[in-house]
C-alpha cells in the first residue's frame, strides 16, 4: 500500500519545493505526507521532497494550525531519518516560529530542537532573557512545559532559582507544583551555596504546605525535605536545630487529607538522620508529653507555637501505621528504618508497634515491617522480648515465601537475652519446617546461625532433647524426621560458637550429622563447602574431648580454610565470632598455606591465557567499561545527549584496537556490543523521567527502542562464549531491567507475555545464583519479591505499572570486567557472482537454488542455525541448516550450501534477502511458523545479503 502511494505521489512532490500549491495546506495533503514519512519503504528522494515542501510551508505560512502540523511532521522526519535531523534543526531555527508572537509555536519549535539535540548530542542555544520572556507568556501549558524542561536549555542555576521561586505563587496549581519540583532538582549539593538562598527556598516551600491543592502540597513536602536536608548540612553548628525544625514541619502534615501527601511525608521522615529524642518519642504517643518546657528552654520555639506543633505531631507515626491506605502504612513502616537508629528508647517502643503491623491485611505492609526489623537487627537495635514472640513466630507460618524468607534473615542476626526465647525460636523454626518442608535448606541455615550466635543455649537445648536424637531401642535411626535433622543442625553449630562449648556436645552427635551431609551442606553454602563440612564433622566425632585450637586437620585433604561466620550486629563484639577451625603449633595459622596452594592452582591457567592475550588491550577495554559505569548517574538524571556523546567517544577509542591476537577480537566485539546496549538503555530511560515533550512523540518510539534493547541483550547473551557466571548474571540483570521497563508503561502491549518472560529470566538468574553461590543484588531480590507477591495476590492491583516502576530505584549498574578469553559466535555469508547485472536465473512458480558460501566461527553442532529468505517484506521462508552434515565442530568451518527457495513469484525479476540466524536455546518455545521454521527467537549472525534473480538469461 505504501509503495502504491509512493508511485502516485512522487511526480507532484518533485515540484513542491519550487512552487508550493494550495493543496499543501489541506489536511488531506498533510495526512499523505505523514503516511509517506512513516512508511519504511518511502525513498530518500521522496522524503527530501516532503522536507523541502514542509520547509517552504514553515517559511510562508502564518496559519497556526498549519504551522503546528508542519512542526510535527518535521519532528517525525528527524526521528525516522536521522541523516536529515541536522537539516530539520537548521530549518526550524531559521524560520518564523522561533521569532513569532505565538509562544505556543515558539515552544513547539523548541520542543523539536530539543528532541533533535537529545538524539544528536548537541545543545540548544537559548539565552536567559528569551527563556524568562517565554515563561511569562499567556499560555499556561507553555509555561509549564518550559519550567519542566528548563535544564535542557542550559539556563543558569540562579536564574532558574529566581523563576522557580516566583512561579510558586502562580495562580495555576499545576504551575506551582512544577515550580516546586524545579526547586527540588536544584537542591543538589554544590548548585546553590548561598546560605540565605537555601533558607529562603526552605521557608517558601514551608509556606506552600498550606496550599489548597493536593498536588501542590505533595510537591511542597518534597521541596521542604530536599531543602531542609541541604539546610541541615550547610549549618553544622545548628545542625540539631534545623533538623528538629524540619522533622516537626513534616510531622505537621502527617494527618493531611490527601493520601499522596501523607505518603510523601513519611518518605521524607525516613531521610532524616538526626532528631531530638523527646521529639521522636512524641510521635509515638497520641498524648502530648511534657516536652514543651525542654524545647522552649532551648529557645527553639515560643511556648505557644510549640504547644500547637506538639499536638500536631503527637502520635503521627502511630497514625501512619493505622492509616486506611496500605500505601501510607507501608511508607510509615519504611520511615522507621532510619529513625530507630537515632534512639534506643525510640527503637524499643517502635518495635512494639511494628510487631502489631505483622497482622496487617496487606502483604506489602507486612513485608515492609519485617524489612524494617531486619534493618534494625543489622544495626543491633532489635531487642526481641517475650511479648513479641507470638506475633513474630507467626510469620514463620505465613503462606508467602518472601515473608518467611525475611523472617529467617532476621533470626540469623537477632541476639536473644535468655534461653526461653531461644527455645521458642528453635521450636518455631522446627514447626515451620514441618509445615513447609520445601524450606528445609533455608530453615537449616537459620538454625545454624542462631546456634552459632548462642552457643551456650545450644548446649542446654541439646542436653534436654538428646534422647530424641539417639537411635531407638531396636537400633533404628530416626534421622528422616524433620525435627531430629533440625536439632542436629543446631548441635553442630556449637563448637563454632566458642571453644568451651565444643567439649559439651557428645561426639556421636557429629557422627549422626554425617548421615545428613548432603542436606546440611546445601543449607550452609554461605559458611563452608561440603568437603569442609565433612572434614569438620569427622574430626569432631573422633575424640571425646577437644578444643578448637586442637583442630589442626593435618591429616585431612583438602585442607580446611578458616571458617568465619559473620555476625552483623554492630554493637556486639565478642570472641565467639570468626573463631578459626585450624591453627598450627605455636599459634601459626594454616590459612596461609592453603591460600598459597589455591592461588597457585588458579594462577596456572591464567599464565597460559596471558601468553596469548595483549594485556594492555584488555586493560584499556576494562578502563572503557569502568567509564561506562561512571555515566550511569547521567542516565538516571536524563542527560541523554551527554551520555550519547560520551558513548560515541568510547566507540572511537575501540576503533583503535585492530589486533587479531587470540581473545582480543571477541573482547573488542563484546565491548562494542555493550556500548550499543547502553546507548539504547539511555534512550529508553529518558521516557521514564518526568515528561519533557510538549506533545507525545508518537509512532511507538518507546516500543521501537525497547525492541532494539531486547535484540542487543539477546545478542550479548547468545553470540559470545567464555562468559563467566558473574558476567552472564550481569547480562541477565540488564534483561530483567528491560522486562521491568516494559511493564512500567500502561500502553505497552503484551503485558502478560512480558510478565511471563520476566519470570523466566528470573528463574535463569536464580539458577546461576545457586550454582555459583552468589548473593543476589538488591534489584534481583526486589523483582523476586514482587513476582512472588503477584503470584499470591488475588487482586489486580498487584500488576499495576506503579509497582514495577518502584523496582527501577533498586537497580544499580555494575562495572563489567573482562577477565578471560571471549569468542564471538558469528558467520559470513556470500552469494558468489551475483548482483543486479549478473542475476541468478529462475523459472516462475518453480523452486530455485541459491548457492551460498558460508563461514562459521565458534559455532558448535548443538546450535540450531536457520537461513531466512525474505521477499518484499511479505513472503518469508526458513531453511534449517544441519551442522552435522558439514564436517567437524572446528572453530572455523567453511562450506557451500545450495539453499532452495520455493516461493518464486510470477514476475520477470525479484530480489531476495538472505540472512543466517541462530536459535536462542535459552528462551522458551514461543514461535510457531505457518510453513515451518524456528521455535524460538533468532539471533542473526551476519548482515543481510541481497540476491538478484531474473527470468532473462
Amino acid at each position: 500500500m505504501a509503495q502504491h502511494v509512493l508511485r502516485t505521489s512522487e511526480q507532484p512532490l518533485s515540484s513542491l519545493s519550487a512552487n508550493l500549491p494550495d493543496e499543501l495546506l489541506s489536511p488531506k495533503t498533510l495526512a499523505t505526507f505523514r503516511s509517506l514519512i512513516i512508511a519504511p519503504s518511502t525513498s530518500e528522494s521522496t522524503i527530501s521532497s516532503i522536507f523541502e515542501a514542509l520547509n517552504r510551508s514553515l517559511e510562508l505560512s502564518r496559519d497556526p494550525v498549519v504551522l503546528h502540523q508542519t512542526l510535527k511532521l518535521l519532528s517525525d522526519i528527524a526521528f525516522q531519518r536521522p541523516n536529515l535531523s541536522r537539516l530539520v534543526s537548521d530549518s526550524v531555527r531559521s524560520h518564523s516560529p522561533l521569532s513569532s508572537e505565538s509562544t505556543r509555536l515558539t515552544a513547539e519549535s523548541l520542543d523539536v530542537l530539543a528532541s533533535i539535540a537529545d538524539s544528536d548530542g548537541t545543545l540548544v542555544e537559548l539565552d536567559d532573557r528569551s527563556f524568562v520572556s517565554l515563561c511569562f507568556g499567556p499560555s499556561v501549558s507553555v509555561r509549564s512545559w518550559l519550567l519542566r524542561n528548563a535544564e535542557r536549555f542550559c539556563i543558569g542555576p540562579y536564574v532558574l532559582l529566581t523563576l522557580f521561586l516566583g512561579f510558586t505563587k502562580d495562580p495555576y496549581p499545576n504551575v506551582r507544583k512544577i515550580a516546586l519540583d524545579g526547586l527540588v532538582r536544584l537542591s543538589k549539593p554544590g548548585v546553590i551555596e548561598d546560605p540565605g538562598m537555601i533558607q529562603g527556598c526552605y521557608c517558601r516551600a514551608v509556606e506552600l504546605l498550606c496550599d489548597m491543592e493536593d498536588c501542590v502540597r505533595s510537591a511542597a513536602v518534597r521541596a521542604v525535605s530536599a531543602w531542609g536536608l541541604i539546610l541541615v548540612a550547610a549549618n553544622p553548628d545548628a545542625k540539631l536545630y534545623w533538623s528538629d525544625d524540619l522533622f516537626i514541619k513534616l510531622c505537621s502534615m502527617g494527618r493531611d487529607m490527601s493520601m499522596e501527601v501523607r505518603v510523601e511525608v513519611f518518605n521524607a521522615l525516613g531521610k532524616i538522620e538526626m532528631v531530638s529524642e523527646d521529639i521522636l518519642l512524641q510521635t509515638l504517643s497520641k498524648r502530648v508529653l511534657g516536652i514543651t518546657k525542654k524545647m522552649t528552654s532551648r529557645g527553639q520555639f515560643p511556648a505557644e507555637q510549640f504547644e500547637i506543633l506538639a499536638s500536631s505531631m503527637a502520635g503521627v507515626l502511630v497514625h501512619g501505621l493505622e492509616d486506611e491506605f496500605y500505601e501510607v502504612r507501608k511508607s510509615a513502616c519504611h520511615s522507621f528504618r532510619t529513625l530507630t537508629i537515632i534512639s534506643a528508647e525510640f527503637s524499643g517502643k517502635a518495635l512494639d508497634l511494628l510487631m502489631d503491623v505483622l497482622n496487617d491485611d496487606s502483604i506489602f505492609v507486612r513485608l515492609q515491617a519485617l524489612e524494617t526489623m531486619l534493618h534494625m537487627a543489622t544495626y543491633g537495635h532489635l531487642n526481641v522480648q517475650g511479648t513479641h514472640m507470638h506475633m513474630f513466630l507467626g510469620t514463620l507460618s505465613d503462606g508467602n515465601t518472601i515473608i518467611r524468607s525475611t523472617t529467617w534473615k532476621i533470626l540469623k542476626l537477632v541476639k536473644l537475652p535468655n534461653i526461653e526465647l531461644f527455645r521458642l525460636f528453635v521450636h518455631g523454626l522446627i514447626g515451620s519446617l514441618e509445615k513447609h518442608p520445601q524450606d528445609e535448606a533455608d530453615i537449616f541455615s537459620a538454625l545454624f546461625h542462631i546456634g552459632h550466635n548462642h552457643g551456650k543455649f545450644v548446649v542446654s537445648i541439646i542436653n534436654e532433647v538428646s534422647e530424641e536424637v539417639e537411635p531407638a531401642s531396636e537400633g533404628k535411626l530416626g534421622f528422616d524426621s524433620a525435627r531430629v535433622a533440625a536439632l542436629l543442625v543446631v548441635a553442630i553449630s556449637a563448637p563454632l560458637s566458642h571453644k568451651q562449648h565444643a567439649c559439651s556436645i557428645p561426639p556421636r552427635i557429629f557422627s549422626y550429622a554425617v548421615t545428613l551431609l548432603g542436606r546440611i551442606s546445601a543449607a550452609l553454602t554461605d559458611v563452608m563447602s561440603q568437603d569442609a563440612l565433612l572434614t569438620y564433622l569427622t574430626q569432631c566425632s573422633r575424640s571425646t574431648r577437644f578444643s578448637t585450637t586442637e583442630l589442626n586437620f593435618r591429616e585431612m585433604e583438602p585442607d580446611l580454610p578458616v571458617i568465619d561466620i559473620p555476625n552483623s550486629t554492630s554493637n556486639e563484639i565478642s570472641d565467639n565470632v570468626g573463631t578459626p577451625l585450624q591453627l598450627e603449633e605455636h599459634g601459626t595459622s594454616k590459612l596461609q598455606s592453603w591460600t598459597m596452594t589455591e592461588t597457585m592452582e588458579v594462577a596456572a591457567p591464567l599464565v597460559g591465557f596471558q601468553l596469548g592475550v595483549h594485556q594492555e588491550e584488555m586493560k584499556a577495554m576494562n578502563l572503557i567499561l569502568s567509564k561506562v559505569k561512571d555515566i550511569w548517574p547521567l542516565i538516571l538524571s536524563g542527560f541523554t545527549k551527554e551520555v550519547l556523546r560520551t558513548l560515541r567517544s568510547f566507540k572511537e577509542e575501540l576503533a583503535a584496537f585492530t589486533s587479531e591476537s587470540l581473545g582480543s577480537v571477541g573482547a573488542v566485539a563484546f565491548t562494542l556490543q555493550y556500548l550499543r546496549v547502553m546507548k539504547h538503555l539511555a534512550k529508553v530511560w529518558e521516557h521514564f523521567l518526568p515528561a519533557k515533550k510538549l506533545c507525545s512523540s508518537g509512532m511507538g518510539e518507546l516500543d521501537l527502542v525497547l525492541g532494539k534493547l531486547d535484540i542487543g541483550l539477546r545478542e550479548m547473551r547468545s553470540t559470545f562464549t567464555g562468559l563467566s557466571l558473574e558476567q552472564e548474571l550481569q547480562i541477565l540483570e540488564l534483561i530483567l531491567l528491560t522486562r521491568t521497563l516494559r511493564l512500567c508503561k500502561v500502553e505497552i502491549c503484551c503485558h502478560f507475555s512480558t510478565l511471563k518472560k520476566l519470570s523466566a529470566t528470573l528463574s535463569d538468574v536464580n539458577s546461576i545464583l545457586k550454582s555459583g553461590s552468589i548473593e543476589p543484588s538488591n534489584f534481583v531480590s526486589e523483582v523476586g519479591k514482587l513476582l512472588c507477591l503477584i503470584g499470591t495476590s488475588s487482586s489486580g492491583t498487584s500488576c499495576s505499572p506503579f509497582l514495577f516502576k518502584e523496582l527501577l530505584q533498586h537497580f544499580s549498574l555494575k562495572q563489567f570486567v573482562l577477565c578471560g578469553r571471549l569468542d564471538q559466535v558469528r558467520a559470513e555469508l556470500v552469494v558468489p557472482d551475483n548482483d543486479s547485472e549478473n542475476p541468478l536465473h529462475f523459472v516462475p512458480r518453480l523452486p530455485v537454488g541459491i548457492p551460498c558460501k558460508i563461514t562459521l566461527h565458534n559455532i558448535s553442532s548443538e546450535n540450531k542455525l536457520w537461513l531466512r529468505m525474505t521477499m518484499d517484506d511479505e513472503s518469508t521462508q526458513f531453511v534449517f541448516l544441519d551442522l552435522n552434515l558439514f564436517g567437524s565442530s572446528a572453530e572455523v568451518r567453511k562450506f557451500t550450501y545450495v539453499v532452495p527457495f520455493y516461493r518464486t513469484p510470477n514476475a520477470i525479476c525479484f530480489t531476495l534477502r538472505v540472512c543466517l540466524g541462530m536459535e536462542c536455546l535459552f528462551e522458551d518455545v514461543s514461535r510457531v511458523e505457518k510453513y515451518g521454521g524456528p521455535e524460538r527467537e533468532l539471533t542473526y549472525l551476519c548482515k543481510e545479503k541481497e540476491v538478484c534473480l531474473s527470468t532473462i538469461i
Side-chain angles (χ1 to χ4, degrees), residues 899-910:
V899 186
F901 181 70
Y902 300 99
R903 304 175 193 173
T904 56
N906 187 16
I908 296 175
C909 62
F910 73 98

Side-chain angles (χ1 to χ4, degrees), residues 470-650:
E470 296 293 339
S473 56
E474 61 273 13
K476 183 179 179 181
L477 299 176
F479 301 151
D480 290 336
S481 166
R483 177 177 175 81
V484 173
L487 290 173
L488 287 175
V489 172
V490 176
I492 66 173
S493 67
L496 295 175
S497 177
H498 198 279
K499 60 184 180 182
Q500 69 182 18
H501 302 144
C503 58
S504 303
I505 303 295
R508 62 183 180 278
I509 296 293
F510 298 93
S511 301
Y512 301 156
V514 173
T515 64
L516 303 176
L517 180 66
R519 293 164 62 184
I520 297 176
S521 65
L524 304 184
T525 54
D526 60 331
V527 178
M528 66 182 86
S529 66
Q530 182 169 326
D531 291 339
L533 177 62
L534 178 60
T535 303
Y536 163 63
L537 294 177
T538 304
Q539 179 67 21
C540 291
S541 63
R542 284 180 178 178
S543 58
T544 57
R545 295 186 64 86
F546 57 87
S547 66
T548 306
T549 55
E550 294 171 351
L551 299 179
N552 54 34
F553 302 99
R554 293 172 181 267
E555 303 175 356
M556 302 179 186
E557 293 183 5
D559 288 337
L560 183 64
V562 169
I563 297 178
D564 184 8
I565 305 177
N567 186 343
S568 299
T569 51
S570 57
N571 64 336
E572 296 284 345
I573 302 176
S574 60
D575 58 355
N576 66 342
V577 180
T579 304
L581 278 185
Q582 60 172 12
L583 294 173
E584 291 283 8
E585 295 178 5
H586 312 296
T588 306
S589 174
K590 200 175 179 184
L591 175 62
Q592 182 179 3
S593 171
W594 175 83
T595 305
M596 290 292 291
T597 304
E598 294 295 318
T599 304
M600 291 177 64
E601 292 175 358
V602 174
L606 288 178
V607 172
F609 169 72
Q610 290 169 356
L611 292 176
V613 178
H614 288 169
Q615 296 184 23
E616 293 183 0
E617 291 185 1
M618 297 293 288
K619 183 178 180 181
M621 281 182 280
N622 278 323
L623 181 60
I624 291 176
L625 293 173
S626 68
K627 293 178 182 177
V628 173
K629 178 183 179 296
D630 293 338
I631 66 174
W632 179 246
L634 294 178
I635 296 177
L636 295 179
S637 302
F639 296 102
T640 310
K641 53 189 176 183
E642 288 83 358
V643 171
L644 297 179
R645 189 187 307 116
T646 305
L647 290 174
R648 277 196 295 271
S649 68
F650 294 161

Side-chain angles (χ1 to χ4, degrees), residues 653-935:
E653 291 182 38
L654 276 179
F657 297 109
T658 58
S659 172
E660 296 294 328
S661 62
L662 183 64
S664 294
V665 176
V668 172
F670 182 86
T671 307
L672 186 61
Q673 182 67 19
Y674 187 72
L675 294 180
R676 294 193 193 102
V677 166
M678 294 310 300
K679 179 184 73 173
H680 297 319
L681 181 57
K683 291 182 178 180
V684 169
W685 201 273
E686 187 178 24
H687 289 268
F688 295 90
L689 298 173
K692 290 185 175 182
K693 291 185 178 294
L694 195 64
C695 52
S696 60
S697 57
M699 296 190 299
E701 179 181 350
L702 175 58
D703 203 23
L704 179 63
V705 184
L706 276 170
K708 292 180 179 179
L709 182 57
D710 275 331
I711 293 173
L713 288 169
R714 189 162 61 241
E715 290 177 354
M716 282 184 69
R717 189 180 179 191
S718 58
T719 60
F720 293 94
T721 61
L723 292 169
S724 66
L725 288 179
E726 290 78 5
Q727 290 169 335
E728 188 172 354
L729 183 61
Q730 286 181 255
I731 296 173
L732 285 171
E733 281 200 38
L734 288 172
I735 295 175
L736 275 180
L737 177 64
T738 304
R739 307 276 192 246
T740 304
L741 288 168
R742 280 190 177 274
L743 292 166
C744 287
K745 284 290 185 180
V746 179
E747 57 267 25
I748 292 294
C749 58
C750 303
H751 175 88
F752 291 104
S753 63
T754 304
L755 193 62
K756 184 179 178 181
K757 290 180 180 179
L758 180 69
S759 180
T761 306
L762 183 64
S763 297
D764 293 340
V765 171
N766 290 332
S767 177
I768 292 179
L769 293 175
K770 290 180 180 178
S771 61
S773 300
I774 305 171
E775 284 295 322
S777 67
N778 191 28
F779 175 68
V780 171
S781 300
E782 293 298 325
V783 172
K785 291 177 185 177
L786 181 57
L787 287 179
C788 185
L789 294 176
I790 290 174
T792 58
S793 176
S794 59
S795 63
T797 57
S798 298
C799 296
S800 67
F802 174 76
L803 296 177
F804 291 100
K805 198 166 186 177
E806 279 190 331
L807 294 177
L808 301 183
Q809 63 184 342
H810 297 287
F811 180 81
S812 177
L813 185 69
K814 301 183 182 70
Q815 179 180 342
F816 219 105
V817 179
L818 299 177
C819 56
R821 174 179 172 178
L822 291 180
D823 292 318
Q824 185 182 16
V825 176
R826 55 191 175 93
E828 299 165 8
L829 188 150
V830 177
V831 180
D833 302 324
N834 178 260
D835 53 35
S836 58
E837 296 181 357
N838 300 290
L840 296 175
H841 179 66
F842 80 102
V843 178
R845 304 298 186 184
L846 292 179
V848 61
I850 312 297
C852 298
K853 287 187 176 181
I854 300 174
T855 304
L856 304 179
H857 298 266
N858 306 306
I859 297 178
S860 66
S861 299
E862 287 76 19
N863 295 121
K864 294 183 178 181
L865 298 188
W866 294 84
L867 279 160
R868 188 195 70 180
M869 294 176 285
T870 306
M871 180 182 64
D872 298 333
D873 292 326
E874 297 177 356
S875 178
T876 301
Q877 175 188 315
F878 290 93
V879 175
F880 179 68
L881 199 61
D882 189 352
L883 296 180
N884 294 319
L885 302 178
F886 303 105
S888 62
S889 56
E891 288 189 6
V892 180
R893 283 191 282 184
K894 296 182 180 181
F895 55 89
T896 300
Y897 182 60
V898 179
V899 186
F901 181 70
Y902 300 99
R903 304 175 193 173
T904 56
N906 187 16
I908 296 175
C909 62
F910 73 98
T911 300
L912 194 65
R913 297 195 304 276
V914 183
C915 191
L916 185 63
M918 180 176 66
E919 201 167 330
C920 298
L921 299 180
F922 51 79
E923 291 194 354
D924 294 331
V925 175
S926 59
R927 296 163 58 98
V928 180
E929 295 291 338
K930 183 178 180 181
Y931 300 102
E935 297 178 328

